[in-house]
């Protein structure tokens, strides 16, 4: 059941709603491609106001490991653990996506 529209003390909208969330697919295909190591790499490089979580299938199997940064709606494909520091530094800390890693299906201009 949804809490949308219900009145409760916990329904207040936090000003941190816009904080970034990194979703790292941990479903079967991405896991075979090394997604658990990618998630571990993000976990070792925490950034203030950024939450990193494993996710179920992001619907782009075969292009993984897939990483989705919200609310930016920036998709990275084929992410390798050694590329994570660049995403953390340039995108999560610096606010600029890593163009060479963008998922071509959703990011047509590079
Ligand atoms: S298994 Fe990762 S996108 Fe489907």
């Amino acid at each position: 059941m949804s809490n949308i529209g219900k009145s409760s003390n916990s329904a207040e909208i936090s000003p941190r709603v816009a904080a970034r969330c990194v979703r790292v697919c941990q479903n079967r295909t991405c896991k075979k491609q090394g997604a658990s190591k990618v998630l571990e790499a993000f976990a070792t490089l925490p950034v203030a106001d950024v939450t990193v979580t494993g996710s179920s299938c992001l619907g782009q199997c075969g292009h993984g490991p897939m990483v989705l940064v919200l609310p930016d709606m920036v998709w990275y494909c084929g992410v390798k653990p050694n590329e994570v520091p660049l995403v953390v530094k340039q995108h999560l800390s610096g606010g600029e996506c890593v163009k060479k890693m963008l998922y071509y299906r959703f990011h047509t201009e590079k």
Side-chain angles (χ1 to χ4, degrees):
M1 184 192 299
S2 169
N3 286 331
I4 295 173
K6 289 192 171 185
S7 174
S8 80
N9 290 338
S10 62
E12 292 179 37
I13 296 173
S14 164
R16 298 178 72 153
V17 161
R20 283 198 178 102
C21 177
V22 177
R23 311 286 312 272
V24 183
C25 178
Q26 296 295 295
N27 206 44
R28 187 172 35 198
T29 307
C30 283
K31 258 201 155 159
K32 283 182 187 169
Q33 296 173 308
S36 56
K37 297 278 187 200
V38 173
L39 182 58
E40 286 175 24
F42 275 107
T44 63
L45 298 168
V47 178
D49 294 328
V50 176
T51 303
V52 178
T53 63
S55 80
S56 57
C57 179
L58 294 171
Q60 305 304 318
C61 311
H63 301 279
M66 292 300 303
V67 172
L68 172 61
V69 181
L70 300 169
D72 310 12
M73 287 305 293
V74 169
W75 294 76
Y76 294 114
C77 62
V79 178
K80 297 174 182 66
N82 65 0
E83 295 173 315
V84 169
L86 178 61
V87 174
V88 168
K89 181 179 179 186
Q90 185 173 319
H91 187 158
L92 303 180
S93 297
E96 185 180 332
C97 64
V98 183
K99 290 184 178 177
K100 68 179 182 181
M101 294 173 60
L102 293 176
Y103 184 36
Y104 62 91
R105 279 191 172 172
F106 298 149
H107 303 285
T108 54
E109 74 287 340
K110 284 198 176 187

